[in-house]
Amino acid sequence: MALPGTIKNPQNLCNSLKPICKHLLFARNISNIPSDESTVANDLISIFTKQPFSPENPELQSLAGMLNTGVVETALKGFRSWKAAHKFFIWASNQWAFRHNVYTYNAMASVLSRARQNAPLRALTAEVVNSRCSMSPGALGFLVRCLGSVGMVDEANALFDEVRKKGLCVHNDYSYNCLLEAVSRSGRVDLVEMRLKEMRDQGWEYDKYTLTPVLKVYCNAGRFDKALDAFNEIFDRGWADAHVLSVLVLSFCKWGEVDKAFELVETMEDRDVRLNEKTFCVLIHGFVKESRVDKALQLFHKMQQSGFVPDVSLYDVLIGGLCMNKEHEKALCLYSEMKNLKVKPDIGVISKLISSFSEGGEGELTRLLEEIYDDIGVEDKVLVYNSFLNSLVNTGSIGKACQLLSAMMGIGLDEDVEINKFFRDKEMVAPNANSFTTVINGLLKANKLDLALSLFVEMAQFGCKQELQLYNNIIDGLCNSNRLEESYKLLRQMEESGFEPTQFSHNCIFGCLCRKKDVSGAIDMIKKMRVYGHEPWIKHSTLLVKELCKNGKTLEACKFLADMVQEGFRPDIIAYSACLDGLVKNGEIDAAFKLFQDISALGFCPDVLAHNIMIKGLCKAQRIAEARHLFNEMETKGLVPSVITYNLLIDGFCKNGQIDEAMLYLSSMFGKEKEPNVITYTTLINGLCNAGRPDDAILLWDKMVEKKCDPSRVAFMAFIHGLCKCGRPNSALVHFHEMEKRKMEPDSFVYVALVSAFLADLNFVSAYEILKEMVDKEKLPDPHDKNYTIVRVAVSKLSENAQTSSSITSLIRQGSLPTILYSDNRDDITSFRIKLESFHTPGLADAGCAAVALLYFLRQSFFGTVRRPVRILCQEICSGGSKVELKMGRQQLE
DNA sequence: TTAGGGTTAG
């Protein structure tokens, strides 16, 4: 069917196959096409491209008679759109006097594969086989490569066998090579190995183009050793070239073996095999991405030595890498080199340098600018200023950023600001929207909301457009400062400017309303959000629920959640859990239980955490049997109780006087490999002590230590307190010292427990020592604390004991026991005098002590009510002969 | 250039 002069099987020309490349070649040279064929083809293209297309077009009908495979092949190559080409191809198929040959099929296949149209390509392949058109190995190879290039490996493989089976093609080494090339892309090692064996069995020799796909398939499949074997074979046979080297080097990089890749490049270089330009570029990018700028630079120099001239994008990536590594000077050197080589730096390179040098402070940045400023085109100058503003903002110099921006706006420069010296001789550049945005965002971050707002207004006056994101950021700033009205106003302004609020804008305001506990406002906002299809963020709803519950408004919290459901937003289990917890904390266990059941009705399955809250509530309400029931139910629901679940239940049993039951749950934890934590042990140790079983508590403490569970401060305090309660102050003291050794500070009640326990044991000296330590460490309880009375009694006892009374007196003299001394609010002088005497201050003769006592007395909040008695006291002190203290007393008094 | 929110011991 081919016309005279048409090359019958052009693909054969490729049989020596230059590297099988992605670009599929057509061997039909345009100059070989007879001019009348070319005219017909062009006319056809024009008709099929014009809209509307009509098959009835009389011109088309006359051209139909002139169809031949040459015309069709030429026309197919001339279409710009694959769709039009395909339409023409189908039309041609339907012309009674025309029949496609392998070259028209291949022309269509090429168009479809380039357009990545797999479905019509698959149909075309089937048609080729069905039409029984014969083909040379080269033509088959071409079609196979079309299929391979779009990943249709199975189709290529099947086609290969079918054409052989139907006798349409006799394979040769070239057709095998094409098939291997197609399969190698897929990483299907088995298939490649099978075809390779088949090829050898049929007596075909391997060549470079056989082994290169083999190398590729091993690389793609990550088969490191096999890939190396293939490469070595290629190398030994003297076939290694830039392409083969690139395949392996790029794979090394993909596997993260950057150093190996580099070694390979060096070894091959010694043997005169060098990378091609593209591979150099890919590798340099890859090395920088892997933070191996050193290797990237070495490659870069090799690339230059190989005679390639790097373009601006390579300088950009290298300078970027150096900047990232904080190698500012090297980056600047590369920049100079680039300029010397007449490669024009672009704003990307310049921005990288600026942001890198800005980390070194303003001095460094100025030094850089002096070097590069003249290289920057007028239109890019504002970008430099913006980079500068950005760096000032990022380094916290927001004030300087504002000054520079003012200068840009023509408001003037501050003489004292060092950074501005550079800009002083320069012609100022007017700011753009980005300049304002940078500074406003910086001001917002620095909590200078009012400045940000005024700049936002000025920005518009300056003719710069306020973008949506900036509106959002300012609304966010206002909401974070609880300036709700202004944020509403800005939201309206934003809408008037033609911006539709985003989910973020609405949620800023919703969050603010929730923080303010404004339930109706929050619901109104939810309604508005529903109109826009925005989802209220659950963190805000949860916060509102928590805040309401904290203030005892559990009913409102429940209603809020119900209203949300009403508005079509179903809160999640977390918001409900917060509400459950609020109810439980408020003692509303029945309401909590009802909500717990309602949650399930809403389609949630309460999780472990929600169960924990309920178990806590039930235990708190002493409904321990129900708590245990809920615990058992968890397992039937497929929930695995957490350590916290166990801890809560164990605590419930302890508090309910069922310590043995609690211990059973501890055993069950070990059985279920649920490791108890320090809270489990602390709860039980506390429970055992409360049950009067200090020896068991000690055993459990030892077990905890043995299990490498580190006791916490709370654990120590509970244990010491418990031992004291059980009358074991000496054991308690050992742990008290251990606690101090670990730099853990005990709370006041621990000291009190020890003092009381030692006193009960009649060990006055030890009791005094602990009391003294409590005083020295300022751990005396607050007068409103119930322990306060205990200390008072203790002091009283110690002051009456011969071993400790003088030490107590001296503590009083030092003024270390202030509030103890004046522990009641009686304002009569008699009561005061009695107190003094009770601490072995003989009458008022020891005026020094009395005066000190007086000063502390004055510090008490009931000063106003004791003015008269104090005045009398002062006189008495005076008659006792202590004038200094008296003066002080008077100063305080008057 | 837009998460993290709910539960345990003295």
Side-chain angles (χ1 to χ4, degrees):
Chain A
M1 281 286 200
L3 287 177
T6 304
I7 298 165
K8 286 281 177 60
N9 50 354
Q11 280 80 2
N12 274 356
L13 292 180
C14 295
N15 273 10
S16 60
L17 201 66
K18 301 104 198 143
I20 300 177
C21 55
K22 284 181 191 159
H23 208 74
L24 299 167
L25 299 171
F26 284 101
R28 246 179 85 96
N29 191 310
I30 209 84
S31 61
N32 292 333
I33 301 166
S35 63
D36 52 340
E37 244 184 48
S38 164
T39 313
V40 175
N42 283 338
D43 290 348
L44 284 164
I45 291 170
S46 153
I47 291 170
F48 275 85
T49 313
K50 261 189 214 149
Q51 296 295 342
F53 167 76
S54 163
E56 308 306 322
N57 183 336
E59 198 188 346
L60 185 61
Q61 286 173 358
S62 79
L63 286 169
M66 301 166 81
L67 274 189
N68 62 42
T69 51
V71 166
V72 172
E73 195 186 339
T74 308
L76 284 172
K77 284 188 274 185
F79 280 102
R80 283 200 188 157
S81 135
W82 74 268
K83 279 188 182 160
H86 198 230
K87 195 176 1 169
F88 165 69
F89 178 84
I90 306 271
W91 173 83
S93 312
N94 293 331
Q95 301 310 305
W96 67 272
F98 177 77
R99 192 176 153 77
H100 287 296
N101 69 359
V102 73
Y103 305 117
T104 58
Y105 281 125
N106 276 354
M108 189 66 241
S110 171
V111 169
L112 291 173
S113 79
R114 269 183 294 183
R116 311 199 71 78
Q117 294 301 319
N118 291 20
L121 186 55
R122 190 172 293 116
L124 182 99
T125 311
E127 197 185 323
V128 170
V129 177
N130 290 337
S131 70
R132 308 194 67 85
C133 91
S134 62
M135 60 192 81
S136 66
L140 171 67
F142 184 89
L143 186 53
V144 162
R145 281 159 54 210
C146 284
L147 294 168
S149 75
V150 290
M152 292 169 63
V153 176
D154 288 328
E155 289 81 352
N157 201 45
L159 173 73
F160 194 81
D161 287 335
E162 274 183 71
V163 292
R164 176 163 51 194
K165 203 166 87 190
K166 292 196 169 161
L168 305 177
C169 178
V170 180
H171 298 330
N172 68 3
D173 52 348
Y174 173 76
S175 45
Y176 268 104
N177 286 351
C178 290
L179 182 65
L180 289 170
E181 163 68 21
V183 177
S184 73
R185 295 161 185 271
S186 68
R188 284 159 69 174
V189 171
D190 293 349
L191 190 51
V192 166
E193 287 177 344
M194 188 269 278
R195 289 295 187 186
L196 204 61
K197 182 172 177 299
E198 185 182 298
M199 185 178 173
R200 169 153 288 172
D201 290 347
Q202 290 180 16
W204 298 109
E205 286 295 317
Y206 299 164
D207 65 12
K208 175 158 85 170
Y209 305 107
T210 316
L211 293 182
T212 307
V214 175
L215 171 68
K216 267 191 201 163
V217 82
Y218 287 133
C219 286
N220 289 343
R223 301 275 292 272
F224 183 83
D225 293 340
K226 287 280 202 180
L228 221 52
D229 288 347
F231 181 80
N232 286 334
E233 189 173 347
I234 294 170
F235 182 78
D236 291 344
R237 294 189 186 210
W239 296 333
D241 61 9
H243 176 67
V244 168
L245 178 60
S246 300
V247 170
L248 192 56
V249 166
L250 290 174
S251 294
F252 273 132
C253 290
K254 221 189 286 169
W255 298 331
E257 301 278 2
V258 171
D259 292 309
K260 279 206 178 101
F262 200 81
E263 262 173 49
L264 185 64
V265 170
E266 300 226 295
T267 314
M268 296 307 287
E269 199 177 39
D270 294 342
R271 299 175 191 195
D272 257 2
V273 180
R274 288 173 208 284
L275 296 173
N276 55 34
E277 186 177 10
K278 193 178 161 204
T279 310
F280 267 122
C281 294
V282 172
L283 283 176
I284 290 169
H285 277 86
F287 281 7
V288 171
K289 218 169 165 189
E290 294 282 318
S291 304
R292 295 299 301 269
V293 188
D294 52 338
K295 295 287 175 210
L297 274 173
Q298 282 183 37
L299 265 186
F300 181 74
H301 293 133
K302 278 187 199 307
M303 181 180 177
Q304 286 174 312
Q305 284 157 14
S306 300
F308 298 114
V309 182
D311 64 2
V312 65
S313 74
L314 270 191
Y315 281 103
D316 180 273
V317 71
L318 283 166
I319 288 174
L322 288 167
C323 288
M324 198 80 84
N325 282 1
K326 307 207 181 306
E327 296 183 85
H328 313 304
E329 292 309 321
K330 276 193 191 167
L332 197 54
C333 280
L334 205 56
Y335 178 83
S336 305
E337 178 193 308
M338 164 181 194
K339 273 181 17 185
N340 291 339
L341 292 172
K342 309 278 181 242
V343 180
K344 196 173 176 309
D346 63 11
I347 192 65
V349 174
I350 286 167
S351 299
K352 286 189 180 79
L353 283 168
I354 289 177
S355 85
S356 171
F357 273 73
S358 66
E359 287 169 17
E362 293 164 24
E364 280 289 282
L365 196 49
T366 307
R367 182 167 71 86
L368 172 79
L369 280 185
E370 271 156 6
E371 195 118 345
I372 69 170
Y373 195 77
D374 294 336
D375 304 333
I376 302 163
V378 181
E379 69 283 6
D380 289 333
K381 287 265 193 308
V382 69
L383 300 180
V384 173
Y385 280 73
N386 288 353
S387 299
F388 211 107
L389 287 172
N390 203 30
S391 97
L392 287 170
V393 165
N394 288 340
T395 51
S397 302
I398 184 69
K400 287 179 180 173
C402 288
Q403 282 170 341
L404 182 56
L405 181 64
S406 299
M408 290 168 78
M409 292 162 74
I411 298 172
L413 276 172
D414 187 336
E415 291 283 325
D416 300 330
V417 183
E418 185 208 342
I419 191 65
N420 290 341
K421 280 182 189 159
F422 173 78
F423 291 105
R424 195 165 300 136
D425 330 321
K426 310 285 180 294
E427 197 176 326
M428 265 303 150
V429 173
N432 61 14
N434 284 343
S435 327
F436 283 99
T437 303
T438 301
V439 179
I440 291 172
N441 283 335
L443 286 166
L444 288 172
K445 218 186 278 173
N447 273 330
K448 296 180 190 285
L449 186 54
D450 288 312
L451 278 176
L453 280 169
S454 52
L455 204 52
F456 185 72
V457 174
E458 282 178 69
M459 172 180 188
Q461 290 163 352
F462 209 83
C464 292
K465 188 166 163 53
Q466 300 143 316
E467 292 297 338
L468 177 129
Q469 203 159 29
L470 192 57
Y471 270 105
N472 272 353
N473 289 348
I474 295 189
I475 290 175
D476 188 34
L478 285 167
C479 287
N480 287 335
S481 300
N482 282 331
R483 288 161 69 166
L484 195 54
E485 284 313 311
E486 288 163 273
S487 57
Y488 273 125
K489 195 173 146 199
L490 202 60
L491 187 74
R492 278 195 297 276
Q493 187 186 323
M494 176 178 173
E495 287 171 297
E496 283 158 16
S497 307
F499 291 113
E500 184 165 298
T502 65
Q503 181 150 297
F504 183 78
S505 346
H506 282 142
N507 267 300
C508 289
I509 296 179
F510 178 60
C512 186
L513 289 161
C514 288
R515 274 194 300 278
K516 282 173 168 274
K517 300 187 274 290
D518 179 346
V519 183
S520 64
I523 292 291
D524 285 346
M525 183 45 80
I526 284 179
K527 286 181 177 160
K528 185 168 182 188
M529 287 167 91
R530 195 184 54 184
V531 174
Y532 283 84
H534 294 161
E535 188 91 14
W537 287 347
I538 209 74
K539 68 168 177 180
H540 297 318
S541 320
T542 306
L543 180 76
L544 177 55
V545 167
K546 276 178 72 180
E547 287 297 314
L548 289 171
C549 289
K550 212 193 282 173
N551 289 287
K553 296 180 178 171
T554 46
L555 206 63
E556 280 185 52
C558 293
K559 185 170 180 309
F560 170 67
L561 291 178
D563 286 348
M564 275 189 77
V565 174
Q566 191 71 32
E567 293 305 326
F569 295 110
R570 197 181 67 160
D572 65 4
I573 189 67
I574 296 180
Y576 280 113
S577 297
C579 196
L580 284 177
D581 192 51
L583 287 164
V584 159
K585 281 197 177 122
N586 220 32
E588 299 172 68
I589 183 67
D590 288 324
F593 223 92
K594 179 163 185 317
L595 182 61
F596 187 72
Q597 280 156 347
D598 289 350
I599 293 170
S600 310
L602 273 170
F604 286 116
C605 176
D607 59 5
V608 171
L609 222 140
H611 279 79
N612 289 350
I613 294 168
M614 290 310 299
I615 287 173
K616 177 180 72 169
L618 289 166
C619 289
K620 194 179 155 199
Q622 293 181 310
R623 288 157 64 169
I624 190 83
E626 287 168 77
R628 190 211 299 260
H629 179 69
L630 199 56
F631 181 92
N632 294 336
E633 249 186 22
M634 285 174 78
E635 290 190 341
T636 55
K637 287 178 189 166
L639 294 169
V640 180
S642 66
V643 174
I644 296 181
T645 322
Y646 278 96
N647 291 352
L648 287 164
L649 198 60
I650 285 173
D651 196 39
F653 283 122
C654 287
K655 300 263 161 61
N656 207 40
Q658 296 172 262
I659 183 68
D660 289 325
E661 200 66 28
M663 290 297 282
L664 279 179
Y665 274 86
L666 176 72
S667 310
S668 129
M669 287 177 88
F670 288 125
K672 292 191 173 159
E673 292 179 355
K674 189 64 77 186
E675 196 65 35
N677 63 15
V678 67
I679 297 180
T680 323
Y681 288 110
T682 307
T683 307
L684 281 162
I685 286 166
N686 186 47
L688 285 166
C689 290
N690 282 337
R693 288 163 55 178
D695 292 320
D696 289 337
I698 292 169
L699 283 176
L700 194 56
W701 178 272
D702 293 342
K703 181 162 188 152
M704 170 175 75
V705 174
E706 180 195 312
K707 290 257 178 197
K708 307 262 179 260
C709 174
D710 227 11
S712 63
R713 181 173 162 271
V714 173
F716 268 110
M717 293 196 295
F719 191 35
I720 295 165
H721 184 250
L723 287 171
C724 288
K725 273 210 299 199
C726 293
R728 302 283 185 90
N730 290 315
S731 293
L733 191 64
V734 173
H735 291 96
F736 180 78
H737 287 144
E738 173 64 21
M739 193 179 174
E740 289 184 316
K741 215 163 89 188
R742 295 186 186 210
K743 307 265 181 257
M744 290 173 176
E745 282 224 341
D747 281 349
S748 170
F749 79 96
V750 178
Y751 292 92
V752 176
L754 278 162
V755 170
S756 298
F758 277 125
L759 278 178
D761 226 12
L762 302 179
N763 185 343
F764 289 89
V765 174
S766 295
Y768 170 75
E769 277 169 6
I770 300 291
L771 178 80
K772 169 91 168 50
E773 192 175 328
M774 172 163 52
V775 168
D776 291 345
K777 295 200 168 153
E778 298 180 346
K779 293 284 181 188
L780 279 166
D782 186 86
H784 307 294
D785 190 325
K786 67 177 189 311
N787 284 320
Y788 182 77
T789 318
I790 299 174
V791 176
R792 262 179 57 201
V793 171
V795 168
S796 169
K797 281 187 183 163
L798 288 169
S799 67
E800 284 160 12
N801 181 272
Q803 285 175 291
T804 50
S805 66
S806 61
S807 305
I808 287 287
T809 307
S810 107
L811 274 188
I812 293 170
R813 285 189 183 189
Q814 290 161 19
S816 303
L817 276 174
T819 51
I820 309 296
L821 191 53
Y822 313 105
S823 55
D824 63 17
N825 287 358
R826 291 171 61 190
D827 62 353
D828 60 286
I829 191 71
T830 319
S831 148
F832 178 66
R833 204 178 287 120
I834 289 165
K835 291 285 174 206
L836 278 178
E837 280 166 0
S838 76
F839 288 105
H840 296 264
T841 307
L844 290 177
D846 191 345
C849 172
V852 170
L854 175 64
L855 287 180
Y856 283 107
F857 189 53
L858 292 169
R859 279 188 201 161
Q860 300 301 310
S861 56
F862 45 86
F863 170 70
T865 65
V866 294
R867 183 177 288 263
R868 201 186 62 79
V870 167
R871 195 165 277 149
I872 297 165
L873 184 61
C874 285
Q875 286 160 7
E876 290 190 24
I877 291 168
C878 192
S879 64
S882 178
K883 289 185 179 161
V884 176
E885 283 79 7
L886 177 64
K887 270 184 196 161
M888 287 173 74
R890 277 190 172 153
Q891 277 169 4
Q892 295 263 335
L893 193 63
E894 286 156 13

